Amino acid sequence: MNETAITVHQTARPHGFPTTEHFAFVESPLPVTPAGSALVENLYWSVDPYHRELMDDVRGGFALDAPLEGRAIGRVIASRTPRLAEGEIVFHRQGWRTHAAVTPEEVRQLPRFDGVPLTAYLSTLGGTGLTAYVALTRIARLHEGEDLFVSAAAGGVGTATGRFARLLGVGRLVGSAGSATKAAHLVRQVGYDAVFDYHDGPAADLLGHVAPGGIDVFVDNVGGEQLAAAVGALREFGRIVRVGTISQYNTPDAPLPRFNYAEIVEKSLRMEGFLVSNYRDLQEELYEFAVPHLQTGRLALDETVVDGFEGIVHAFLGMLRGENTGKTVVRDRTQTPSVD
C-alpha cells in the first residue's frame, strides 16, 4: 500500500479565469481511519463547472489551503466497519485527493451493471446525468414532440440532455457549442438536429436560424445572451430550466442579459432553477431509465477521460475552456486499459 496521500488545495481566490497558480498538490501521510470508517483509494475523479463557483469567496465555497472536494469513485483498501468491505467500489464526495477516510453514511455503494463502465457513475449515471434527467422530467416536464434548445450542448450536461431528450421523444433538438467541430460532432454523434457556434454572431439570430419556428423548452447551462435569445424564441407556455451560468463564472462583472420581460407574462413562460442535490432520491429512477439503454447501445457515454491524478487541475481548467466533449473524468493510471 502506498503510504503517502496527495491532495489538491486552492491557494488563492481567482479574479477572472483561474490558473494552475491557484492550486497546489500537497503530500501527507495516509488519512487516519477511526473506528466505524474505511480508507478509500480513489480511482476516478469528476471535475465540474460548479467547482469554479466554489473557488470564489462564497458561502459553501472552497476553503483556502485545505483539501478540495468533489465527486469521486474509489476502492476500499482498509476498513474498520463491517458495513464497508475491503475491495468494495464506492462513490463519495471527497475527490481532488488520492485517498479519503469515509464513513458508510458518506458513500454510496455502487451497483454493477453488465457492460456499464465505472466512469458512467460520474457521467450519465452520476450527478451530470441526474441533472439532465431532472431538468427534462421534473422541471421542464418535456412532452413528446416538443422542441428543445440546449446551451453548452457539448458539455457533460448538454450531451446527456440531448441523448435523454431523444429517448423521451423530443421533437426538434437544437443546441449551441463553442466551435464548428463540436457542433458537427453533436449532430453526427449525439443526435442534435442543428447546433450553432455561439461565436458566429448574435445569439438571437443564430437561434432563429436553427429553430425558425421557435422552441418549447430551453435547458440553460450558460445564461447571458443565449438566455435572452431563448426568451424571445419560446412559444406560448414555454419553459426555461436554469442549470448553470457558465458565461459568468469567469466574468462576474459581465452585464446581465437584457430581454423583454413582458414576454414572460404575454407568453405565459416559466423559468425555474434547481440544485441536483435536492433530487438524489431519483438516483434509482435514473438507473432504471438509463441502464437498459446503455446496455443495448441505444444510449452512449459522452466522456473526455484524462489519465493520471496529476492532471486533475489541467483537466479542470481545460473543461472551463471548453476543451472537452461530454463529461470530463480523471482516471487513475492503474485503471487505464492495457493495449495488447
Side-chain angles (χ1 to χ4, degrees), residues 2 53 161 275 289 305 308:
N2 190 335
E53 292 181 276
T161 299
L275 295 175
F289 171 77
V305 179

Side-chain angles (χ1 to χ4, degrees), residues 251-270:
T251 55
D253 298 325
L256 296 175
R258 299 182 64 181
F259 53 85
N260 183 358
Y261 291 91
E263 289 191 275
I264 301 290
V265 177
E266 293 167 358
K267 294 194 289 186
S268 299
L269 304 182
R270 177 168 58 85

Side-chain angles (χ1 to χ4, degrees), residues 222-233:
V222 172
E225 184 187 5
Q226 295 186 54
L227 172 57
V231 171

Side-chain angles (χ1 to χ4, degrees), residues 163-224:
R163 291 193 186 275
F164 287 178
R166 276 284 172 237
L167 296 173
L168 293 168
V170 70
R172 185 167 176 78
L173 176 61
V174 302
S176 68
S179 71
T181 299
K182 285 187 175 183
H185 170 81
L186 290 167
V187 173
R188 290 195 307 265
Q189 302 295 329
V190 182
Y192 278 81
D193 293 298
V195 179
F196 63 83
D197 178 349
Y198 65 82
H199 297 104
D200 285 347
D205 295 342
L206 297 169
L207 179 56
H209 178 71
V210 298
I215 56 176
D216 298 295
V217 174
F218 175 40
V219 175
D220 184 23
N221 298 290
V222 172

Side-chain angles (χ1 to χ4, degrees), residues 38-106:
L39 180 63
V40 170
E41 182 176 42
N42 288 329
L43 305 175
Y44 299 91
W45 300 265
S46 174
V47 293
D48 297 282
Y50 79 87
H51 288 146
R52 173 60 189 87
E53 292 181 276
L54 297 182
M55 292 185 71
D56 293 331
D57 187 14
V58 297
R59 189 172 72 173
F62 291 144
L64 295 182
D65 302 309
L68 304 183
E69 295 187 0
R71 303 179 180 114
I73 292 172
R75 178 186 295 113
V76 176
I77 58 174
S79 179
R80 299 187 64 192
T81 170
R83 295 169 60 188
L84 291 174
E86 291 187 14
E88 190 165 4
I89 302 297
V90 296
F91 168 93
H92 63 92
R93 301 190 67 86
Q94 293 189 48
W96 293 75
R97 66 196 78 187
T98 57
H99 298 78
V102 299
T103 66
E105 292 75 21
E106 292 173 327

Side-chain angles (χ1 to χ4, degrees), residues 5-339:
I6 302 174
T7 60
V8 179
H9 294 196
Q10 182 183 334
T11 58
R13 302 291 181 197
H15 299 284
F17 204 96
T19 70
T20 56
E21 301 301 314
H22 293 100
F23 301 90
F25 287 82
V26 179
E27 291 191 5
S28 64
L30 291 178
V32 174
T33 310
S37 66
L39 180 63
V40 170
E41 182 176 42
N42 288 329
L43 305 175
Y44 299 91
W45 300 265
S46 174
V47 293
D48 297 282
Y50 79 87
H51 288 146
R52 173 60 189 87
E53 292 181 276
L54 297 182
M55 292 185 71
D56 293 331
D57 187 14
V58 297
R59 189 172 72 173
F62 291 144
L64 295 182
D65 302 309
L68 304 183
E69 295 187 0
R71 303 179 180 114
I73 292 172
R75 178 186 295 113
V76 176
I77 58 174
S79 179
R80 299 187 64 192
T81 170
R83 295 169 60 188
L84 291 174
E86 291 187 14
E88 190 165 4
I89 302 297
V90 296
F91 168 93
H92 63 92
R93 301 190 67 86
Q94 293 189 48
W96 293 75
R97 66 196 78 187
T98 57
H99 298 78
V102 299
T103 66
E105 292 75 21
E106 292 173 327
V107 306
R108 186 167 79 242
Q109 293 160 289
L110 297 177
R112 297 306 305 272
F113 301 107
D114 290 341
V116 178
L118 283 175
T119 55
Y121 294 99
L122 294 178
S123 60
T124 301
L125 300 182
T128 298
L130 187 59
T131 297
Y133 185 74
V134 170
L136 293 173
T137 66
R138 295 306 196 272
I139 311 300
R141 298 187 181 275
L142 181 73
H143 298 144
E144 187 173 350
E146 288 189 316
D147 296 333
L148 171 66
F149 168 43
V150 182
S151 60
V157 172
T159 50
T161 299
R163 291 193 186 275
F164 287 178
R166 276 284 172 237
L167 296 173
L168 293 168
V170 70
R172 185 167 176 78
L173 176 61
V174 302
S176 68
S179 71
T181 299
K182 285 187 175 183
H185 170 81
L186 290 167
V187 173
R188 290 195 307 265
Q189 302 295 329
V190 182
Y192 278 81
D193 293 298
V195 179
F196 63 83
D197 178 349
Y198 65 82
H199 297 104
D200 285 347
D205 295 342
L206 297 169
L207 179 56
H209 178 71
V210 298
I215 56 176
D216 298 295
V217 174
F218 175 40
V219 175
D220 184 23
N221 298 290
V222 172
E225 184 187 5
Q226 295 186 54
L227 172 57
V231 171
L234 280 162
R235 303 180 182 122
E236 189 176 23
F237 303 113
R239 288 90 73 202
I240 299 169
V241 184
R242 294 281 292 114
V243 174
T245 313
I246 296 173
S247 66
Q248 292 179 255
Y249 289 165
N250 298 303
T251 55
D253 298 325
L256 296 175
R258 299 182 64 181
F259 53 85
N260 183 358
Y261 291 91
E263 289 191 275
I264 301 290
V265 177
E266 293 167 358
K267 294 194 289 186
S268 299
L269 304 182
R270 177 168 58 85
M271 183 188 303
E272 183 176 348
F274 72 98
L275 295 175
V276 72
S277 57
N278 293 327
Y279 291 86
R280 289 176 183 162
D281 60 318
L282 296 181
Q283 186 66 56
E284 293 297 326
E285 184 178 320
L286 173 63
Y287 290 160
E288 292 172 6
F289 171 77
V291 168
H293 295 304
L294 287 171
Q295 292 174 323
T296 64
R298 192 179 179 199
L299 177 61
L301 297 177
D302 298 283
E303 299 173 343
T304 295
V305 179
V306 176
D307 281 318
F309 178 73
E310 69 276 7
I312 192 169
V313 171
H314 289 288
F316 171 61
L317 298 178
M319 179 269 301
L320 292 180
R321 288 190 291 263
E323 295 173 1
N324 60 301
T325 299
K327 179 74 183 72
T328 299
V329 176
V330 179
R331 176 174 57 192
D332 186 78
R333 293 190 184 279
T334 63
Q335 302 304 300
T336 303
S338 60
V339 178

